[in-house]
Amino acid sequence: MNQATKDFIREHAEADVRQLALRGTKDPEVDLTFALEQIAGRQMARTKIPSWAVVEDIIYPPHLSMEQCSSEQTARYKASIAGEGALVVDLTAGFGVDMAFISQGFERAVHVERQPSLCAISSENFKRLGLKHIEVVCGDGVEYLHSLDHADLIFVDPARRDEHGGRTYGIADCTPNVLEILDEMVEKADCVMLKLSPMLDWQKAVEDIQQTGVGYVYEVHIVSVDNECKELLVKVRKGEGEKVRKHKVFCVNLLHDNTRETFEFEAPLTLSPPHLLIFPPSSSSPMLPS
């Protein structure tokens, strides 16, 4: 990024990007496409990743990657449940928001991403954020898993789009199919955290994982932001997944004032006499019909 492009970005930080694109610039030294991406990215980051938006020279990816990346609120929540240790590995790291926050509890972190452009952006951003303990690896996450010895935590956020760009929701339909590599992940990590589509039935997701017979679910986190469900997080350990095991379910609503509402229960639920539990969307507690 040359000085002319930096100056253009700074001068038009509050501009309407669409209008700016139509007007263009007469300065041939300005990389207009890159400048527009940065202006739009920083404007979005002010609400989505506010602690990054105030850091000078953070580089933002194209709009689709900004849309798909985690918000700071949800990334901080993941960091709060990730634990700590010597090594965390993100096999599908993308732009790197989750890694930036989750890794803060670990001595070393490995950020694996297939797209060279995102790897270059993440490498520069981690330097600007002072996250010197993160190593960026440009490559396929599954191939990196094969070479991995041991990690305290493996984090995976499989891509939820098919080869035609259409949305997918089922675990087996995402890339990578984590059910196919779960055996290797639980062998090589003390904990595996899966970030899945909020559209999934969490009970079906747990059942699919347990039926692999190579790991068992011990925590499920259903995460909303201001009453809108955003993420389904499933934590898995090595064990006999086909056996019925109790697991904790956390229904969390992260609010704009940095507080949270949490309802926690242990599943499978056993109610006697039989009752029907109704969970209103983003409610902090279930209703028990009379």
Side-chain angles (χ1 to χ4, degrees), residues 228-255:
E228 181 181 351
C229 190
K230 292 291 188 179
E231 296 179 356
L232 172 62
L233 306 172
V234 181
K235 296 176 74 176
V236 187
R237 284 181 176 145
K238 181 179 179 180
E240 297 177 341
E242 73 276 6
K243 293 185 178 179
V244 176
R245 294 175 180 265
K246 293 281 188 180
H247 48 274
K248 290 185 177 181
V249 180
F250 301 85
C251 301
V252 181
N253 188 24
L254 307 175
L255 303 175

PDB file of all heavy atoms in Angstrom, residues 228-255:
ATOM      1  N   GLU A 228     -30.261 -12.782  18.393  1.00  0.00           N
ATOM      2  CA  GLU A 228     -30.164 -13.451  17.084  1.00  0.00           C
ATOM      3  C   GLU A 228     -29.127 -14.561  17.182  1.00  0.00           C
ATOM      4  O   GLU A 228     -27.958 -14.306  17.465  1.00  0.00           O
ATOM      5  CB  GLU A 228     -29.763 -12.467  16.003  1.00  0.00           C
ATOM      6  CG  GLU A 228     -29.683 -13.106  14.616  1.00  0.00           C
ATOM      7  CD  GLU A 228     -29.263 -12.130  13.531  1.00  0.00           C
ATOM      8  OE1 GLU A 228     -29.195 -10.913  13.813  1.00  0.00           O
ATOM      9  OE2 GLU A 228     -29.006 -12.584  12.402  1.00  0.00           O
ATOM     10  N   CYS A 229     -29.554 -15.798  16.933  1.00  0.00           N
ATOM     11  CA  CYS A 229     -28.649 -16.939  17.053  1.00  0.00           C
ATOM     12  C   CYS A 229     -27.576 -16.853  15.973  1.00  0.00           C
ATOM     13  O   CYS A 229     -27.868 -16.739  14.782  1.00  0.00           O
ATOM     14  CB  CYS A 229     -29.421 -18.246  16.923  1.00  0.00           C
ATOM     15  SG  CYS A 229     -28.436 -19.704  17.334  1.00  0.00           S
ATOM     16  N   LYS A 230     -26.304 -16.924  16.403  1.00  0.00           N
ATOM     17  CA  LYS A 230     -25.185 -16.734  15.495  1.00  0.00           C
ATOM     18  C   LYS A 230     -24.334 -17.984  15.303  1.00  0.00           C
ATOM     19  O   LYS A 230     -23.814 -18.222  14.217  1.00  0.00           O
ATOM     20  CB  LYS A 230     -24.288 -15.603  16.011  1.00  0.00           C
ATOM     21  CG  LYS A 230     -24.919 -14.229  15.967  1.00  0.00           C
ATOM     22  CD  LYS A 230     -25.101 -13.748  14.548  1.00  0.00           C
ATOM     23  CE  LYS A 230     -25.538 -12.300  14.494  1.00  0.00           C
ATOM     24  NZ  LYS A 230     -25.696 -11.819  13.099  1.00  0.00           N
ATOM     25  N   GLU A 231     -24.115 -18.753  16.370  1.00  0.00           N
ATOM     26  CA  GLU A 231     -23.164 -19.862  16.289  1.00  0.00           C
ATOM     27  C   GLU A 231     -23.610 -21.040  17.145  1.00  0.00           C
ATOM     28  O   GLU A 231     -24.253 -20.870  18.187  1.00  0.00           O
ATOM     29  CB  GLU A 231     -21.778 -19.412  16.772  1.00  0.00           C
ATOM     30  CG  GLU A 231     -21.145 -18.350  15.921  1.00  0.00           C
ATOM     31  CD  GLU A 231     -19.779 -17.909  16.423  1.00  0.00           C
ATOM     32  OE1 GLU A 231     -19.341 -18.393  17.494  1.00  0.00           O
ATOM     33  OE2 GLU A 231     -19.150 -17.089  15.747  1.00  0.00           O
ATOM     34  N   LEU A 232     -23.233 -22.220  16.675  1.00  0.00           N
ATOM     35  CA  LEU A 232     -23.357 -23.436  17.456  1.00  0.00           C
ATOM     36  C   LEU A 232     -21.953 -23.984  17.659  1.00  0.00           C
ATOM     37  O   LEU A 232     -21.260 -24.306  16.690  1.00  0.00           O
ATOM     38  CB  LEU A 232     -24.223 -24.467  16.717  1.00  0.00           C
ATOM     39  CG  LEU A 232     -24.292 -25.873  17.324  1.00  0.00           C
ATOM     40  CD1 LEU A 232     -24.915 -25.838  18.716  1.00  0.00           C
ATOM     41  CD2 LEU A 232     -25.082 -26.809  16.410  1.00  0.00           C
ATOM     42  N   LEU A 233     -21.501 -24.025  18.906  1.00  0.00           N
ATOM     43  CA  LEU A 233     -20.153 -24.493  19.235  1.00  0.00           C
ATOM     44  C   LEU A 233     -20.261 -25.822  19.962  1.00  0.00           C
ATOM     45  O   LEU A 233     -21.027 -25.951  20.927  1.00  0.00           O
ATOM     46  CB  LEU A 233     -19.428 -23.486  20.126  1.00  0.00           C
ATOM     47  CG  LEU A 233     -19.352 -22.051  19.596  1.00  0.00           C
ATOM     48  CD1 LEU A 233     -18.788 -21.125  20.659  1.00  0.00           C
ATOM     49  CD2 LEU A 233     -18.510 -21.991  18.322  1.00  0.00           C
ATOM     50  N   VAL A 234     -19.503 -26.796  19.495  1.00  0.00           N
ATOM     51  CA  VAL A 234     -19.527 -28.136  20.092  1.00  0.00           C
ATOM     52  C   VAL A 234     -18.106 -28.517  20.480  1.00  0.00           C
ATOM     53  O   VAL A 234     -17.192 -28.464  19.651  1.00  0.00           O
ATOM     54  CB  VAL A 234     -20.104 -29.168  19.102  1.00  0.00           C
ATOM     55  CG1 VAL A 234     -20.143 -30.553  19.747  1.00  0.00           C
ATOM     56  CG2 VAL A 234     -21.514 -28.771  18.660  1.00  0.00           C
ATOM     57  N   LYS A 235     -17.931 -28.909  21.746  1.00  0.00           N
ATOM     58  CA  LYS A 235     -16.613 -29.308  22.231  1.00  0.00           C
ATOM     59  C   LYS A 235     -16.581 -30.829  22.396  1.00  0.00           C
ATOM     60  O   LYS A 235     -17.478 -31.426  22.998  1.00  0.00           O
ATOM     61  CB  LYS A 235     -16.302 -28.611  23.552  1.00  0.00           C
ATOM     62  CG  LYS A 235     -16.209 -27.095  23.407  1.00  0.00           C
ATOM     63  CD  LYS A 235     -16.002 -26.393  24.736  1.00  0.00           C
ATOM     64  CE  LYS A 235     -14.595 -26.571  25.256  1.00  0.00           C
ATOM     65  NZ  LYS A 235     -14.383 -25.790  26.510  1.00  0.00           N
ATOM     66  N   VAL A 236     -15.523 -31.430  21.834  1.00  0.00           N
ATOM     67  CA  VAL A 236     -15.424 -32.893  21.754  1.00  0.00           C
ATOM     68  C   VAL A 236     -14.101 -33.347  22.354  1.00  0.00           C
ATOM     69  O   VAL A 236     -13.064 -32.684  22.179  1.00  0.00           O
ATOM     70  CB  VAL A 236     -15.509 -33.369  20.282  1.00  0.00           C
ATOM     71  CG1 VAL A 236     -15.590 -34.893  20.215  1.00  0.00           C
ATOM     72  CG2 VAL A 236     -16.704 -32.733  19.582  1.00  0.00           C
ATOM     73  N   ARG A 237     -14.139 -34.489  23.052  1.00  0.00           N
ATOM     74  CA  ARG A 237     -12.934 -35.121  23.579  1.00  0.00           C
ATOM     75  C   ARG A 237     -12.848 -36.556  23.088  1.00  0.00           C
ATOM     76  O   ARG A 237     -13.830 -37.136  22.623  1.00  0.00           O
ATOM     77  CB  ARG A 237     -12.969 -35.151  25.112  1.00  0.00           C
ATOM     78  CG  ARG A 237     -12.681 -33.829  25.783  1.00  0.00           C
ATOM     79  CD  ARG A 237     -12.713 -33.998  27.281  1.00  0.00           C
ATOM     80  NE  ARG A 237     -12.352 -32.775  27.972  1.00  0.00           N
ATOM     81  CZ  ARG A 237     -12.878 -32.392  29.128  1.00  0.00           C
ATOM     82  NH1 ARG A 237     -13.777 -33.151  29.723  1.00  0.00           N
ATOM     83  NH2 ARG A 237     -12.486 -31.259  29.694  1.00  0.00           N
ATOM     84  N   LYS A 238     -11.664 -37.117  23.244  1.00  0.00           N
ATOM     85  CA  LYS A 238     -11.466 -38.511  22.904  1.00  0.00           C
ATOM     86  C   LYS A 238     -12.286 -39.387  23.837  1.00  0.00           C
ATOM     87  O   LYS A 238     -12.364 -39.145  25.037  1.00  0.00           O
ATOM     88  CB  LYS A 238      -9.983 -38.882  23.024  1.00  0.00           C
ATOM     89  CG  LYS A 238      -9.664 -40.319  22.657  1.00  0.00           C
ATOM     90  CD  LYS A 238      -8.166 -40.592  22.784  1.00  0.00           C
ATOM     91  CE  LYS A 238      -7.852 -42.041  22.430  1.00  0.00           C
ATOM     92  NZ  LYS A 238      -6.402 -42.328  22.547  1.00  0.00           N
ATOM     93  N   GLY A 239     -12.917 -40.404  23.303  1.00  0.00           N
ATOM     94  CA  GLY A 239     -13.710 -41.317  24.122  1.00  0.00           C
ATOM     95  C   GLY A 239     -14.632 -42.140  23.255  1.00  0.00           C
ATOM     96  O   GLY A 239     -14.652 -42.011  22.029  1.00  0.00           O
ATOM     97  N   GLU A 240     -15.398 -42.982  23.891  1.00  0.00           N
ATOM     98  CA  GLU A 240     -16.297 -43.885  23.181  1.00  0.00           C
ATOM     99  C   GLU A 240     -17.605 -43.160  22.895  1.00  0.00           C
ATOM    100  O   GLU A 240     -18.522 -43.138  23.706  1.00  0.00           O
ATOM    101  CB  GLU A 240     -16.525 -45.153  23.996  1.00  0.00           C
ATOM    102  CG  GLU A 240     -15.240 -45.957  24.202  1.00  0.00           C
ATOM    103  CD  GLU A 240     -15.448 -47.186  25.072  1.00  0.00           C
ATOM    104  OE1 GLU A 240     -16.453 -47.224  25.802  1.00  0.00           O
ATOM    105  OE2 GLU A 240     -14.615 -48.079  25.010  1.00  0.00           O
ATOM    106  N   GLY A 241     -17.687 -42.565  21.705  1.00  0.00           N
ATOM    107  CA  GLY A 241     -18.812 -41.723  21.368  1.00  0.00           C
ATOM    108  C   GLY A 241     -20.133 -42.440  21.259  1.00  0.00           C
ATOM    109  O   GLY A 241     -21.193 -41.818  21.339  1.00  0.00           O
ATOM    110  N   GLU A 242     -20.113 -43.774  21.060  1.00  0.00           N
ATOM    111  CA  GLU A 242     -21.378 -44.485  20.899  1.00  0.00           C
ATOM    112  C   GLU A 242     -22.110 -44.656  22.220  1.00  0.00           C
ATOM    113  O   GLU A 242     -23.300 -44.958  22.259  1.00  0.00           O
ATOM    114  CB  GLU A 242     -21.136 -45.851  20.243  1.00  0.00           C
ATOM    115  CG  GLU A 242     -20.473 -46.909  21.139  1.00  0.00           C
ATOM    116  CD  GLU A 242     -18.968 -46.764  21.155  1.00  0.00           C
ATOM    117  OE1 GLU A 242     -18.462 -45.797  20.568  1.00  0.00           O
ATOM    118  OE2 GLU A 242     -18.305 -47.634  21.759  1.00  0.00           O
ATOM    119  N   LYS A 243     -21.400 -44.475  23.347  1.00  0.00           N
ATOM    120  CA  LYS A 243     -22.047 -44.600  24.643  1.00  0.00           C
ATOM    121  C   LYS A 243     -22.739 -43.288  25.006  1.00  0.00           C
ATOM    122  O   LYS A 243     -22.240 -42.204  24.735  1.00  0.00           O
ATOM    123  CB  LYS A 243     -21.023 -44.966  25.708  1.00  0.00           C
ATOM    124  CG  LYS A 243     -20.440 -46.365  25.521  1.00  0.00           C
ATOM    125  CD  LYS A 243     -19.518 -46.733  26.671  1.00  0.00           C
ATOM    126  CE  LYS A 243     -18.991 -48.161  26.495  1.00  0.00           C
ATOM    127  NZ  LYS A 243     -18.080 -48.536  27.597  1.00  0.00           N
ATOM    128  N   VAL A 244     -23.907 -43.405  25.641  1.00  0.00           N
ATOM    129  CA  VAL A 244     -24.646 -42.216  26.036  1.00  0.00           C
ATOM    130  C   VAL A 244     -23.911 -41.539  27.180  1.00  0.00           C
ATOM    131  O   VAL A 244     -23.630 -42.154  28.205  1.00  0.00           O
ATOM    132  CB  VAL A 244     -26.082 -42.564  26.467  1.00  0.00           C
ATOM    133  CG1 VAL A 244     -26.804 -41.309  26.973  1.00  0.00           C
ATOM    134  CG2 VAL A 244     -26.839 -43.190  25.309  1.00  0.00           C
ATOM    135  N   ARG A 245     -23.582 -40.291  27.002  1.00  0.00           N
ATOM    136  CA  ARG A 245     -22.886 -39.526  28.034  1.00  0.00           C
ATOM    137  C   ARG A 245     -23.635 -38.218  28.253  1.00  0.00           C
ATOM    138  O   ARG A 245     -24.216 -37.646  27.348  1.00  0.00           O
ATOM    139  CB  ARG A 245     -21.442 -39.209  27.614  1.00  0.00           C
ATOM    140  CG  ARG A 245     -20.535 -40.418  27.489  1.00  0.00           C
ATOM    141  CD  ARG A 245     -19.189 -39.965  26.943  1.00  0.00           C
ATOM    142  NE  ARG A 245     -18.265 -41.086  26.799  1.00  0.00           N
ATOM    143  CZ  ARG A 245     -17.367 -41.455  27.700  1.00  0.00           C
ATOM    144  NH1 ARG A 245     -17.303 -40.783  28.844  1.00  0.00           N
ATOM    145  NH2 ARG A 245     -16.542 -42.453  27.491  1.00  0.00           N
ATOM    146  N   LYS A 246     -23.582 -37.741  29.458  1.00  0.00           N
ATOM    147  CA  LYS A 246     -24.156 -36.440  29.767  1.00  0.00           C
ATOM    148  C   LYS A 246     -23.266 -35.345  29.179  1.00  0.00           C
ATOM    149  O   LYS A 246     -22.054 -35.463  29.164  1.00  0.00           O
ATOM    150  CB  LYS A 246     -24.259 -36.247  31.280  1.00  0.00           C
ATOM    151  CG  LYS A 246     -25.257 -37.173  31.966  1.00  0.00           C
ATOM    152  CD  LYS A 246     -26.670 -36.665  31.783  1.00  0.00           C
ATOM    153  CE  LYS A 246     -27.646 -37.475  32.637  1.00  0.00           C
ATOM    154  NZ  LYS A 246     -29.038 -37.002  32.472  1.00  0.00           N
ATOM    155  N   HIS A 247     -23.877 -34.291  28.694  1.00  0.00           N
ATOM    156  CA  HIS A 247     -23.113 -33.140  28.236  1.00  0.00           C
ATOM    157  C   HIS A 247     -23.860 -31.869  28.634  1.00  0.00           C
ATOM    158  O   HIS A 247     -25.085 -31.847  28.706  1.00  0.00           O
ATOM    159  CB  HIS A 247     -22.873 -33.170  26.719  1.00  0.00           C
ATOM    160  CG  HIS A 247     -24.096 -33.445  25.911  1.00  0.00           C
ATOM    161  ND1 HIS A 247     -24.531 -34.714  25.634  1.00  0.00           N
ATOM    162  CD2 HIS A 247     -24.985 -32.610  25.317  1.00  0.00           C
ATOM    163  CE1 HIS A 247     -25.636 -34.661  24.909  1.00  0.00           C
ATOM    164  NE2 HIS A 247     -25.933 -33.395  24.699  1.00  0.00           N
ATOM    165  N   LYS A 248     -23.108 -30.835  28.918  1.00  0.00           N
ATOM    166  CA  LYS A 248     -23.701 -29.567  29.313  1.00  0.00           C
ATOM    167  C   LYS A 248     -24.057 -28.736  28.084  1.00  0.00           C
ATOM    168  O   LYS A 248     -23.310 -28.707  27.111  1.00  0.00           O
ATOM    169  CB  LYS A 248     -22.747 -28.790  30.216  1.00  0.00           C
ATOM    170  CG  LYS A 248     -22.578 -29.405  31.600  1.00  0.00           C
ATOM    171  CD  LYS A 248     -21.720 -28.511  32.493  1.00  0.00           C
ATOM    172  CE  LYS A 248     -21.631 -29.097  33.897  1.00  0.00           C
ATOM    173  NZ  LYS A 248     -20.809 -28.233  34.799  1.00  0.00           N
ATOM    174  N   VAL A 249     -25.202 -28.079  28.162  1.00  0.00           N
ATOM    175  CA  VAL A 249     -25.661 -27.206  27.091  1.00  0.00           C
ATOM    176  C   VAL A 249     -25.780 -25.798  27.659  1.00  0.00           C
ATOM    177  O   VAL A 249     -26.422 -25.584  28.688  1.00  0.00           O
ATOM    178  CB  VAL A 249     -27.007 -27.671  26.506  1.00  0.00           C
ATOM    179  CG1 VAL A 249     -27.455 -26.728  25.386  1.00  0.00           C
ATOM    180  CG2 VAL A 249     -26.903 -29.098  25.995  1.00  0.00           C
ATOM    181  N   PHE A 250     -25.142 -24.847  26.983  1.00  0.00           N
ATOM    182  CA  PHE A 250     -25.160 -23.451  27.413  1.00  0.00           C
ATOM    183  C   PHE A 250     -25.875 -22.629  26.342  1.00  0.00           C
ATOM    184  O   PHE A 250     -25.418 -22.578  25.193  1.00  0.00           O
ATOM    185  CB  PHE A 250     -23.741 -22.914  27.594  1.00  0.00           C
ATOM    186  CG  PHE A 250     -22.925 -23.669  28.612  1.00  0.00           C
ATOM    187  CD1 PHE A 250     -22.234 -24.830  28.259  1.00  0.00           C
ATOM    188  CD2 PHE A 250     -22.833 -23.226  29.924  1.00  0.00           C
ATOM    189  CE1 PHE A 250     -21.478 -25.526  29.181  1.00  0.00           C
ATOM    190  CE2 PHE A 250     -22.080 -23.907  30.860  1.00  0.00           C
ATOM    191  CZ  PHE A 250     -21.400 -25.063  30.492  1.00  0.00           C
ATOM    192  N   CYS A 251     -26.986 -22.015  26.699  1.00  0.00           N
ATOM    193  CA  CYS A 251     -27.686 -21.098  25.803  1.00  0.00           C
ATOM    194  C   CYS A 251     -27.295 -19.682  26.221  1.00  0.00           C
ATOM    195  O   CYS A 251     -27.645 -19.234  27.320  1.00  0.00           O
ATOM    196  CB  CYS A 251     -29.192 -21.278  25.914  1.00  0.00           C
ATOM    197  SG  CYS A 251     -29.748 -22.952  25.529  1.00  0.00           S
ATOM    198  N   VAL A 252     -26.563 -18.987  25.358  1.00  0.00           N
ATOM    199  CA  VAL A 252     -25.954 -17.711  25.726  1.00  0.00           C
ATOM    200  C   VAL A 252     -26.441 -16.617  24.789  1.00  0.00           C
ATOM    201  O   VAL A 252     -26.460 -16.790  23.571  1.00  0.00           O
ATOM    202  CB  VAL A 252     -24.414 -17.806  25.649  1.00  0.00           C
ATOM    203  CG1 VAL A 252     -23.774 -16.485  26.056  1.00  0.00           C
ATOM    204  CG2 VAL A 252     -23.905 -18.932  26.524  1.00  0.00           C
ATOM    205  N   ASN A 253     -26.848 -15.501  25.369  1.00  0.00           N
ATOM    206  CA  ASN A 253     -27.239 -14.328  24.590  1.00  0.00           C
ATOM    207  C   ASN A 253     -26.296 -13.183  24.952  1.00  0.00           C
ATOM    208  O   ASN A 253     -26.305 -12.679  26.077  1.00  0.00           O
ATOM    209  CB  ASN A 253     -28.689 -13.942  24.904  1.00  0.00           C
ATOM    210  CG  ASN A 253     -29.221 -12.855  23.979  1.00  0.00           C
ATOM    211  OD1 ASN A 253     -28.728 -12.680  22.867  1.00  0.00           O
ATOM    212  ND2 ASN A 253     -30.224 -12.126  24.437  1.00  0.00           N
ATOM    213  N   LEU A 254     -25.433 -12.800  24.013  1.00  0.00           N
ATOM    214  CA  LEU A 254     -24.480 -11.720  24.232  1.00  0.00           C
ATOM    215  C   LEU A 254     -25.147 -10.393  23.874  1.00  0.00           C
ATOM    216  O   LEU A 254     -25.623 -10.220  22.745  1.00  0.00           O
ATOM    217  CB  LEU A 254     -23.238 -11.928  23.365  1.00  0.00           C
ATOM    218  CG  LEU A 254     -22.552 -13.297  23.503  1.00  0.00           C
ATOM    219  CD1 LEU A 254     -21.407 -13.411  22.498  1.00  0.00           C
ATOM    220  CD2 LEU A 254     -22.050 -13.525  24.919  1.00  0.00           C
ATOM    221  N   LEU A 255     -25.171  -9.474  24.817  1.00  0.00           N
ATOM    222  CA  LEU A 255     -25.898  -8.229  24.635  1.00  0.00           C
ATOM    223  C   LEU A 255     -24.966  -7.082  24.257  1.00  0.00           C
ATOM    224  O   LEU A 255     -23.761  -7.124  24.519  1.00  0.00           O
ATOM    225  CB  LEU A 255     -26.671  -7.895  25.912  1.00  0.00           C
ATOM    226  CG  LEU A 255     -27.655  -8.994  26.368  1.00  0.00           C
ATOM    227  CD1 LEU A 255     -28.276  -8.633  27.699  1.00  0.00           C
ATOM    228  CD2 LEU A 255     -28.724  -9.234  25.308  1.00  0.00           C
TER     229      LEU A 255
END
